[in-house]
Amino acid sequence: MKAILLLLSSLLVLTGCATTKSPTGRGQTLLFSSQQMSELGNSSFAQIKQQELASQDKAINSYVNCVANRITKALPDQNLPWEVVVFESEQVNAFALPGGHIGVYTGLLNVAINQDQLATVIGHEVAHVLANHSNEQVSRAQMTGAGMQLADIALGAGGIADKELYMAALGLGVQVGYILPYGRDQESEADIIGVELMAKAGFDPAASVELWKNMSKAGGEQGPELLSTHPSHDQRIAQLQQMQAKAQPLYQASKLSVKNTCQRPK
């Protein structure tokens, strides 16, 4: 707790920012170091594990870990260990956090019906971390005044329970009920990076199209909460179809070296 308070109070003294480019060339303003973002991610994930029920199903855990591990092994940085936790919930959702954390809700497995479709979602969520989208969100909160609320929390004067605001800034709005969603540019960018990532991990990127068709049918007209701030179903599917020309060669080259198939539990 002391580390969290110290980190959040440092928001008061941030004076500089870094203007950089995302992996797709989009301009970004980042106020926080990778170490600070990792600490925020670590704290948020620890809190989620206290609040949510972790699955004890060995087969499901093995399956999700298999898919997630193949995705993370395709990342350029292999120095960061990734923690993967499956949560018992009907939510059709997953997330990834700075510091090397992936959460998958069992409800997602009802929509992502095979390893390639699950890899689509996990690849997309890891892409948010890879592209510093969480840093963008927390930085935006700081620059628009929400950061002062974060500072109030750090000083013990805030009224937001359970650090909801900064957790929402990390893309966890659905989990904590406080919405500070990724923008559609970030979502489209995560689609691009995520599909390339899953292809490099030996998962068929064509499954991304089928996955989002399944998503569009789940939960009625609006789909599951995971899609609440995403591009329209038709727009997303069209973009994914266009990406196949680039992603399929990556998949064909990588699948030859894949030694383990992730078997979905029956």
Side-chain angles (χ1 to χ4, degrees), residues 232-243:
S232 69
H233 304 318
D234 290 344
Q235 178 185 351
R236 158 167 269 144
I237 289 170
Q239 175 176 273
L240 291 169
Q241 288 172 331
Q242 291 174 356
M243 291 168 56

Side-chain angles (χ1 to χ4, degrees), residues 128-149:
H128 278 307
V129 176
L130 192 63
N132 291 312
H133 291 166
S134 297
N135 198 332
E136 277 190 280
Q137 290 297 93
V138 180
S139 298
R140 185 178 301 159
Q142 170 73 3
M143 291 186 292
T144 58
M148 292 307 297
Q149 290 178 292

Side-chain angles (χ1 to χ4, degrees), residues 134-186:
S134 297
N135 198 332
E136 277 190 280
Q137 290 297 93
V138 180
S139 298
R140 185 178 301 159
Q142 170 73 3
M143 291 186 292
T144 58
M148 292 307 297
Q149 290 178 292
L150 289 173
D152 286 344
I153 296 171
L155 297 173
I160 302 176
D162 297 326
K163 312 297 184 296
E164 289 176 350
L165 183 58
Y166 82 76
M167 291 175 72
L170 291 174
L172 296 172
V174 172
Q175 285 79 6
V176 299
Y178 192 100
I179 305 302
L180 189 59
Y182 289 126
R184 292 198 173 187
D185 286 345
Q186 293 169 320

